[in-house]
Amino acid sequence: MGPTAVVTGVGGALPPRVVTNHELAQRLDTSDEWIRTRTGIRQRHVVEAGTSTGDLATEAGSRAMKQAGLDSVDLVVVATTTPDRLCPATAPTVASRMGLVGASAFDVSAVCSGFVYALQTATTAIAAGTAESAVVIGAESFSTLLDPEDRSTVAIFGDGAGALALRAGDRSEDGAVLDFDTGSDGSLRDLITVPGGGAEQRASGRPPAIGDTYFRMEGQPVFKHAVRQMSETSLKVLGTSGWAVEEVDWFVGHQANMRILRAVAGRLGIDSDRAVSNIERVGNTAAASIPLALSDSAAEGRLGRGDRVLLAAFGGGATWGAATLTWPELPPL
Ligand code: COA
């Protein structure tokens, strides 16, 4: 087998402003009890004026590079649903701000599956020898996309960023990124969507209808598809890696909803104490959720050297994906 990507650093970033369920309940027809019992979320972080996705991405990416002891990388991939601008991509600006002028840099758009897709893209580049090192970032200012009056989305989503630094290495090393399974079903595109503001609406010649530039989600079908696809994609990648479910030390699922995470872990037969979760504190941070969960778990000392880690996500598109990796020994920051 040829080279693969090896994790050498991890980083996270959260905007300082915290919005609790109680605060939301003061302005929306909701309650702390409803949000906690239906989603497992108690609070989320949100950006304030002056901060956006690129700022969070730069902070998380810089932390991962610092831990890796890297001054430069060949490739910067930013997974995001909330790029700073429709054009150009956010990644080149982030790369420049990280002192990486000259690096290949582009965005990946796969909503909540974005980080798995971005990690696959960077790993493939390293395996092909077109990059020796990379930083893969998931970053969102998701709150900027939400209808402030929509209790069903405002209660769920939050802002943040997470990142992994990668270098070329061997599959037998601790920290090796091993295998992927990814897929999509575009017939489900209306379940998670921002219908206005894109080429489809502009080419129609009609201005966006009121509310069309806000994020919309059909929660119940999304819930069912998320449970099914996250379970199936996990089993496929476990099969590719030749890992039995019992051999997985940590399941790091996209932090969509605590009930989705429990249902997927239950279907896979993974005990809840092996399922990583930070959704209570940060909510659903879309493309940032998996790397932010990795960053938080690493900071808490939960992930140990050589631990077998399974990542799985489901997102708009619909898209889904899973990955296997082992955890490296990382220097304290
Ligand atoms: N507070 C109070 N009531 C709320 C609410 C809130 N924050 N959000 C929705 N409701 C209401 C709905 O309006 C609905 O009211 P109605 O019956 O009068 O129409 C009622 O609660 C039930 O809504 P329903 O959608 O059936 O609730 P649910 O148990 O499915 O939970 C979600 C809603 C959104 C939490 C849940 O469907 C979910 O988590 N879906 C997946 C979301 C997700 O993971 N998205 C990202 C995937 S990548």
Side-chain angles (χ1 to χ4, degrees):
M1 290 240 187
T4 190
V6 172
V7 176
T8 53
V10 62
L14 288 166
R17 169 92 166 95
V18 171
V19 177
T20 63
N21 293 347
H22 291 291
E23 183 178 339
L24 283 186
Q26 284 169 15
R27 63 177 179 85
L28 292 171
D29 182 14
T30 188
S31 66
D32 173 57
E33 208 253 333
W34 194 97
I35 301 170
R36 264 191 300 106
T37 54
R38 299 292 181 108
T39 71
I41 299 165
R42 283 178 189 273
Q43 63 171 49
R44 71 288 296 141
H45 290 246
V46 299
V47 293
E48 293 186 286
T51 302
S52 68
T53 300
D55 299 308
L56 300 173
T58 303
E59 196 178 328
S62 301
R63 288 198 172 133
M65 281 191 55
K66 187 173 175 207
Q67 187 169 48
L70 284 172
D71 292 330
S72 71
V73 293
D74 305 328
L75 173 64
V76 177
V77 188
V78 174
T80 186
T81 321
T82 47
D84 281 349
R85 299 182 183 182
L86 272 180
C87 169
T90 306
T93 309
V94 169
S96 290
R97 290 175 62 189
M98 288 168 63
L100 303 172
V101 172
S104 303
F106 57 90
D107 291 0
V108 163
S109 175
V111 197
C112 300
S113 311
F115 186 79
V116 174
Y117 272 73
L119 185 62
Q120 182 184 42
T121 305
T123 301
T124 306
I126 287 173
T130 56
E132 276 283 313
S133 54
V135 176
V136 183
I137 305 169
E140 302 280 13
S141 308
F142 218 91
S143 61
T144 63
L145 206 54
L146 303 178
D147 175 351
E149 305 299 322
D150 181 3
R151 63 183 180 176
S152 68
T153 54
V154 169
I156 293 178
F157 291 94
D159 303 338
L164 291 181
L166 306 171
R167 63 160 169 81
D170 190 84
R171 284 177 70 92
S172 62
E173 290 182 62
D174 291 331
V177 183
L178 298 171
D179 298 300
F180 289 89
D181 176 71
T182 48
S184 72
D185 179 355
S187 71
L188 302 176
R189 71 174 186 161
D190 289 332
L191 295 185
I192 292 175
T193 188
V194 180
E200 185 185 64
Q201 172 256 310
R202 290 196 302 277
S204 75
R206 288 189 305 273
I210 291 171
D212 267 6
T213 51
Y214 285 134
F215 177 85
R216 288 184 200 163
M217 179 178 70
E218 292 185 36
Q220 286 209 5
V222 166
F223 193 106
K224 287 177 192 151
H225 285 293
V227 172
R228 197 179 83 228
Q229 294 297 359
M230 282 170 68
S231 306
E232 286 181 7
T233 191
S234 294
L235 290 173
K236 281 188 191 160
V237 81
L238 288 177
T240 306
S241 296
W243 291 2
V245 168
E246 305 76 57
E247 293 177 297
V248 173
D249 294 300
W250 298 107
F251 170 57
V252 185
H254 164 49
Q255 308 285 303
N257 178 323
M258 182 58 93
R259 287 157 55 219
I260 292 177
L261 284 170
R262 287 202 183 121
V264 175
R267 278 193 180 201
L268 294 173
I270 292 177
D271 313 331
S272 56
D273 58 354
R274 289 190 287 144
V276 163
S277 178
N278 63 353
I279 193 171
E280 188 181 44
R281 285 188 299 108
V282 301
N284 177 341
T285 58
S289 97
I290 286 180
L292 199 50
L294 287 171
S295 165
D296 282 356
S297 306
E300 289 162 10
R302 293 182 83 189
L303 299 172
R305 179 180 177 174
D307 282 356
R308 293 183 175 206
V309 182
L310 167 67
L311 313 180
F314 176 85
T319 54
W320 55 84
T324 49
L325 59 124
T326 58
W327 197 251
E329 182 160 23
L330 295 175
L333 267 185

